[in-house]
Amino acid sequence: MAIRYPNGKKYTPPNSEVKKRSIKDYSYSNRGKTLEDEIDEANDFYLQRQIAVIHKKPVPIQIVKVEYPSRSAAVIREAYFRTPSTTDYNGIYEGYHIDFDAKETESKTSFPLKNVHPHQVEHMTVVAKQRGICFLLIRFSSMERYFVVPLEMLQNAWTRMLTGGRKSISLVEFEEQAIEVKPTYSPRIDYLQAVRKMLP
Amino acid sequence: MAIRYPNGKKYTPPNSEVKKRSIKDYSYSNRGKTLEDEIDEANDFYLQRQIAVIHKKPVPIQIVKVEYPSRSAAVIREAYFRTPSTTDYNGIYEGYHIDFDAKETESKTSFPLKNVHPHQVEHMTVVAKQRGICFLLIRFSSMERYFVVPLEMLQNAWTRMLTGGRKSISLVEFEEQAIEVKPTYSPRIDYLQAVRKMLP
């Protein structure tokens, strides 16, 4: 698991990758942005142009102790991170309910399924039964490649793992069965381009 | 504004109302439950029977300081409540994207619009443009009456207020234009019964 800071953002080494890039590459680079930053950027773009309304849910917190200083805002003094029971992102796109989670891996060959929690698969399964559009958005960070993985592809890999098969999805499987999102200019990760191909 | 505790639940005087009720009333009483509890109960019911998948979003928090004690969970030591930019509830019901907020009033004659934030009206307006089903679920707590207010009715009252008209929606208007949810046994507040009447 990647190191995660309390703001939910993944720790990213300071621009180590950016320095290696040529000037040509640089204009399309993510400049050390987290996947969350990139999705936020896309969602802002979609919201401003009224293309879709998709938000990240707040991180769930168990609050234990709060102080109420006079004449200033309440301060939480003791709280703990809780495990989310759903996915991180949902919203609506042209009448379709959208529900997904975003994951990153440093691997260049496969996506380890240990990055996905069983309750997330369960949640997306019940949402899909209600005709929601469910998927994972996966970044292979070291290669800057992005894929939208339809729930069905995830479910097949999940079942394979539970029945003793491999515990990851290979890059070849991504290339054959997932929908690649090629970085563009604005928004950089226009993932709804891929989602469009999943619609009934 | 009602007093709100950090867990997002409204302060409820300890069973002051329940004691006044007859035994007959008691079986259908809310036993001091908050509106949030009642909606949670309905959402659990819908999820278990695969009727709908609707969740409350976590309360957004700005985290400032976190401690990492060795061999135990991270502890948030300083954090603040943030204003939500969307509504509290969303999900999917038979292919429809559902998006709503829940509000309570102690008034017996009207619902004060100061309980609704401008950004909530804006959020629901853009969601409705994407063909989402948007509404308020309002409890008149002192009368135990519940109404689903379609976004259009809220927008009309909102425009009226902004153009110098009354700053509330009268109970008569609720009775004429909103959809009443009569408490039943299980779930007590079966609000999807009312939502069904709003579907295109």
Side-chain angles (χ1 to χ4, degrees), chain A residues 24-40:
Chain A
K24 183 167 172 281
D25 287 342
Y26 190 78
S27 62
Y28 287 87
S29 84
N30 64 12
R31 295 182 180 84
K33 277 186 188 166
T34 64
L35 178 56
E36 184 180 328
D37 290 338
E38 295 178 313
I39 296 171
D40 282 351

Side-chain angles (χ1 to χ4, degrees), chain A residues 83-153:
Chain A
T83 307
S85 55
T86 64
T87 45
D88 277 354
Y89 296 90
N90 78 3
I92 184 167
Y93 169 51
E94 292 185 5
Y96 293 102
H97 180 84
I98 302 293
D99 194 304
F100 70 101
D101 226 86
K103 306 281 182 190
E104 301 182 71
T105 180
E106 291 294 324
S107 166
K108 293 184 181 186
T109 54
S110 68
F111 172 74
L113 287 168
K114 66 168 193 270
N115 291 340
V116 182
H117 302 291
H119 58 81
Q120 294 179 320
V121 181
E122 284 160 27
H123 170 74
M124 288 194 283
T125 300
V126 294
V127 169
K129 278 187 185 159
Q130 295 286 330
R131 287 180 271 147
I133 308 300
C134 301
F135 56 92
L136 292 182
L137 176 52
I138 290 175
R139 172 163 102 171
F140 283 88
S141 298
S142 54
M143 298 182 293
E144 281 203 39
R145 290 183 72 179
Y146 301 76
F147 293 91
V148 163
V149 177
L151 176 60
E152 199 182 346
M153 180 177 164

Side-chain angles (χ1 to χ4, degrees), chain A residues 68 76 79 90 94-95 97 130-131, chain B residues 6 76 79 90 94-95 97 130:
Chain A
Y68 299 90
I76 298 161
N90 78 3
E94 292 185 5
H97 180 84
Q130 295 286 330
R131 287 180 271 147
Chain B
I76 297 161
N90 78 3
E94 292 185 4
H97 179 84
Q130 295 286 331

